[in-house]
Amino acid sequence: NAGVMQNPRHLVRRRGQEARLRCSPMKGHSHVYWYRQLPEEGLKFMVYLQKENIIDESGMPKERFSAEFPKEGPSILRIQQVVRGDSAAYFCASLDSGRSTDTQYFGPGTRLTVL
Amino acid sequence: SQQGEEDPQALSIQEGENATMNCSYKTSINNLQWYRQNSGRGLVHLILIRSNEREKHSGRLRVTLDTSKKSSSLLITASRAADTASYFCATDSSNTGKLIFGQGTTLQVKP
């Protein structure tokens, strides 16, 4: 039973390019959360998605960032026109039912470096 | 403002000693969770304690929750060098399961 998968594990982009981060939740999980971790800090919530729906995007910057979780395939976090301040580790987590009493399982993260 | 705040920020102990980390939060919660993160790696879930629970054990881990003081503590007994990592508390205050993380405590266990 594979855990949460994220790819790529490391991503280097130049300023102005686009970054696409992928997250495949655990088998059977239909709820995905994205978090961002800046160096030496804790994780900050970005967005919560269910299949084909964005449920809570209160932590997502209004510009340049978007997320989706299609009916088939992984969840995608997309950052357009990246800037140096986007350099961070991006983690996704999944859970089965969306109940707040359930444990979220985290992926290994994608470390984005913007040159 | 930060929901979860942890102290100490850094802790250095000898192998075999106990390590205690504290977490305070501001709003009412559904549950509080502790995670471990090794340097440059992902998060490993350690333990979840619900708002109606006061204490929970898992192996060498003991977590307490005091909702009147809005605080939690994580105790690692008989620490090992392999326990060296950053430890984060995370609170769930919503009905969507989103977690609010503290800044973390960096634990170093010297062999």
Side-chain angles (χ1 to χ4, degrees), chain A residues 9 33 35 37 40-45 48 55-56 58-59 91 95 98-109 111, chain B residues 2 30-31 33 35 37-45 48 50 88 92 94-104 106:
Chain A
R9 295 290 305 277
Y33 301 78
Y35 297 86
Q37 184 179 33
E40 309 301 325
E41 292 190 11
L43 279 69
K44 298 282 196 297
F45 167 78
Y48 163 42
I55 306 302
D56 182 349
S58 58
F91 293 94
L95 66 94
R99 290 196 305 263
S100 61
T101 52
D102 288 344
T103 298
Q104 291 186 24
Y105 294 89
F106 279 78
R111 277 150 186 83
Chain B
Q2 189 67 29
N30 299 315
N31 65 64
Q33 305 179 39
Y35 287 84
Q37 184 180 35
N38 289 83
S39 180
R41 308 289 292 273
L43 275 78
V44 174
H45 183 264
L48 180 154
R50 295 183 174 79
F88 294 93
D92 174 5
S94 72
N95 58 1
T96 61
K98 77 179 186 187
L99 297 175
I100 309 296
F101 282 81
Q103 297 285 75
T106 300

Side-chain angles (χ1 to χ4, degrees), chain B residues 9-22:
Chain B
Q9 288 191 321
L11 182 59
S12 181
I13 59 175
Q14 293 294 134
E15 207 165 27
E17 294 179 338
N18 295 341
T20 300
M21 289 160 263
N22 302 296

Side-chain angles (χ1 to χ4, degrees), chain B residues 29-83:
Chain B
I29 60 172
N30 299 315
N31 65 64
L32 185 145
Q33 305 179 39
W34 285 90
Y35 287 84
R36 184 184 73 221
Q37 184 180 35
N38 289 83
S39 180
R41 308 289 292 273
L43 275 78
V44 174
H45 183 264
L46 296 177
I47 201 161
L48 180 154
I49 187 164
R50 295 183 174 79
S51 60
N52 61 353
E53 297 176 311
R54 292 295 165 261
E55 188 171 312
K56 211 161 181 180
H57 296 255
S58 177
R60 293 183 297 113
L61 305 180
R62 173 178 167 247
V63 168
T64 63
L65 179 65
D66 187 336
T67 52
S68 66
K69 294 181 180 177
K70 291 188 168 58
S71 68
S72 173
S73 68
L74 171 67
L75 168 67
I76 304 174
T77 59
S79 63
R80 305 167 183 167
D83 294 330

Side-chain angles (χ1 to χ4, degrees), chain A residues 71-107:
Chain A
K71 188 176 179 182
E72 302 289 338
S75 175
I76 307 283
L77 179 67
R78 183 179 175 211
I79 311 172
Q80 296 178 288
Q81 299 175 317
V82 295
V83 301
R84 289 222 173 102
D86 296 332
S87 294
Y90 292 83
F91 293 94
C92 78
S94 74
L95 66 94
D96 184 8
S97 67
R99 290 196 305 263
S100 61
T101 52
D102 288 344
T103 298
Q104 291 186 24
Y105 294 89
F106 279 78

